[in-house]
Amino acid sequence: MVDLNGQYQSIKEQINLSISNILETSAFINGPEVHSFQKELEDYLDVKHVIPCANGTDALQIAMMGLGLRPGDEVITADFTFAATVEVIALLQLTPVLVDVEEDTFNIDISAVEKAITPKTKAIVPVHLFGQCANMDAIMALAEKHDLYVIEDNAQAIGADYTDSEGKKQKAGTIGHVGSTSFFPSKNLGCYGDGGAIFTNDDALAHAIRGIVNHGMYERYHHDVVGVNSRLDSIQAAVLRAKLPLLDGYCDARRKAAIKYTKAFESQDNIVVPVTVNTCGMASDICKCHVFHQYTLRITNGKRDALVEHLNDNQIPCGVYYPIPLHKQKAYADERYNEVDFPKTNKLVKEVISLPMHTELDDEQITHITNAIIAFVNG
Ligand SMILES: *Cc1c(COP(=O)(O)O)cnc(C)c1O
């Protein structure tokens, strides 16, 4: 699905040099690399505060802790996402409220969010799934109207742009009150281990979060709140510093591959290509509204599972993200949920298939993949 080694080979010298510098200086934790990466990511995202942490799941949890969400507070999020999003809500004893998504963009459905708001609702967590932003204009308007926090789960869309209805362009993850991301190796900006970060423009929230990631300490050995231990280590920061200047190029490479996939599939029956919501108005080859963490097709003639098997048999990697709606997972099922409220997620889990997507895909590989899929689905 991803070619991490191919990418490493192209940046090997710089990465190896910075890692060996860290080994020589022994500044493994809270070293200068971490601080520099934080500043560089703040510049890239044009956000006031980046707080690095240990992984994307921690980032979400710490964002919720920083906002002071309390047991019993309701938090609305998408039914169709990676479990981390709902996991941290449940772990903090907040009440997860899962809602349906849009069939074409896979992102949280605004009318479903609106329907789910109650007097106990405290926050909405849009997940920018597969690399493009949820409808942030509508989410921010709803949040303002109902006095809710917006926590963007930006694990899959770092580098994406979102242009609001007034033409203001912002980076994904910096639009809501707080955003989170993951630097898991296969993410668009991946390190060589675990890593994550939290973003916010709110000074007080940033201060609160900086203490929470460090055992609730704001002054050495004074623990004012219950915190956690969540750090990005220096070696991961060095890898990320080497890759951050290349992120836009990585996103371009993904977009180019996506455009080629779409060209091959778009006239095919039974295969629905992913939709880009172009908020910037720029041409599709330069538009950064979608950074294609995943390239996800829908197979509408019931052959998805057979296609997965066929591709596996032919050594073509593919993935099903996600095969089970969160509201049907044992850990998160609840009698509050009603099947009629999830028609789109229930359908998508049977139709979606994600294709190899990374920065090193070449034309020959793409043609091999698209030919195999078309021949099987419509042959
Ligand atoms: C990867 C991911 C996370 C979790 O990130 P980790 O670094 O693996 O903890 C959270 N949310 C979404 C949508 C993700 O894709």
Side-chain angles (χ1 to χ4, degrees), residues 55-57 60 81-82 84-85 127 153 155-156 182 184 187 195 322:
N55 57 68
T57 309
L60 275 168
T81 171
F82 182 55
T85 324
V127 182
D153 181 346
Q156 300 190 2
S182 163
F184 186 78
K187 302 281 156 112
Y322 297 91

Side-chain angles (χ1 to χ4, degrees), residues 32-329:
E33 294 285 345
V34 179
H35 191 69
S36 301
F37 172 64
Q38 175 202 318
K39 293 280 171 232
E40 287 156 10
L41 189 57
E42 283 167 355
D43 285 346
Y44 175 82
L45 295 172
D46 194 19
V47 70
K48 267 174 99 175
H49 305 281
V50 164
I51 302 103
C53 65
N55 57 68
T57 309
D58 274 10
L60 275 168
Q61 177 182 331
I62 292 158
M64 290 177 201
M65 291 169 77
L67 290 169
L69 301 184
R70 286 262 152 282
D73 289 349
E74 293 179 3
V75 179
I76 299 172
T77 194
D79 191 35
F80 188 65
T81 171
F82 182 55
T85 324
V86 67
E87 178 178 73
V88 298
I89 298 172
L91 209 60
L92 293 172
Q93 294 182 302
L94 314 174
T95 304
V97 178
L98 296 167
V99 302
D100 210 6
V101 296
E102 300 173 340
E103 192 168 334
D104 54 352
T105 65
F106 311 112
N107 275 326
I108 198 162
D109 182 303
I110 303 306
S111 59
V113 173
E114 189 158 24
K115 247 181 75 183
I117 294 173
T118 75
K120 286 186 174 170
T121 307
K122 286 286 151 54
I124 308 171
V125 186
V127 182
H128 302 324
L129 205 71
F130 301 153
Q132 82 176 326
C133 281
N135 182 348
M136 289 305 290
D137 271 344
I139 290 166
M140 295 311 289
L142 270 183
E144 195 165 332
K145 183 169 161 203
H146 296 275
D147 198 18
L148 309 175
Y149 293 121
V150 174
I151 304 159
E152 297 174 71
D153 181 346
N154 194 35
Q156 300 190 2
I158 194 157
D161 285 336
Y162 183 81
T163 308
D164 71 14
S165 55
E166 268 136 44
K168 183 176 173 199
K169 188 186 281 185
Q170 286 171 282
K171 282 287 178 198
T174 68
I175 304 156
H177 300 90
V178 57
S180 65
T181 201
S182 163
F183 304 122
F184 186 78
S186 63
K187 302 281 156 112
N188 287 28
L189 178 62
C191 58
Y192 295 164
D194 272 311
I198 305 148
F199 328 129
T200 185
N201 284 307
D202 180 328
D203 296 341
L205 180 60
H207 175 74
I209 288 173
R210 284 204 181 93
I212 291 169
V213 297
N214 189 25
H215 304 289
M217 271 198 291
Y218 296 88
E219 199 185 317
R220 205 161 168 78
Y221 298 120
H222 292 253
H223 302 272
D224 294 357
V225 296
V226 177
V228 295
N229 167 23
S230 191
R231 297 185 279 241
L232 182 74
D233 67 67
S234 303
I235 289 182
Q236 302 313 330
V239 171
L240 292 165
R241 284 192 75 196
K243 288 172 91 174
L244 181 60
L246 307 173
L247 176 60
D248 284 338
Y250 290 162
C251 293
D252 287 344
R254 288 171 175 272
R255 183 176 322 106
K256 280 197 184 114
I259 289 170
K260 286 175 194 159
Y261 275 141
T262 289
K263 210 166 178 185
F265 292 125
E266 67 190 346
S267 59
Q268 291 290 321
D269 294 334
N270 309 313
I271 300 177
V272 181
V273 297
V275 164
T276 296
V277 183
N278 179 313
T279 58
C280 68
M282 296 202 292
S284 65
D285 57 332
I286 53 168
C287 153
K288 286 196 209 164
C289 300
H290 199 323
V291 294
F292 291 96
H293 175 59
Q294 297 293 347
Y295 184 88
T296 303
L297 294 173
R298 289 163 49 208
I299 306 298
T300 56
N301 62 351
K303 284 176 122 181
R304 196 275 313 271
D305 289 339
L307 174 63
V308 170
E309 210 168 298
H310 176 73
L311 295 178
N312 287 341
D313 290 346
N314 288 278
Q315 284 79 49
I316 296 176
C318 65
V320 172
Y321 310 118
Y322 297 91
I324 304 172
L326 289 177
H327 81 276
K328 290 187 182 172
Q329 297 283 0

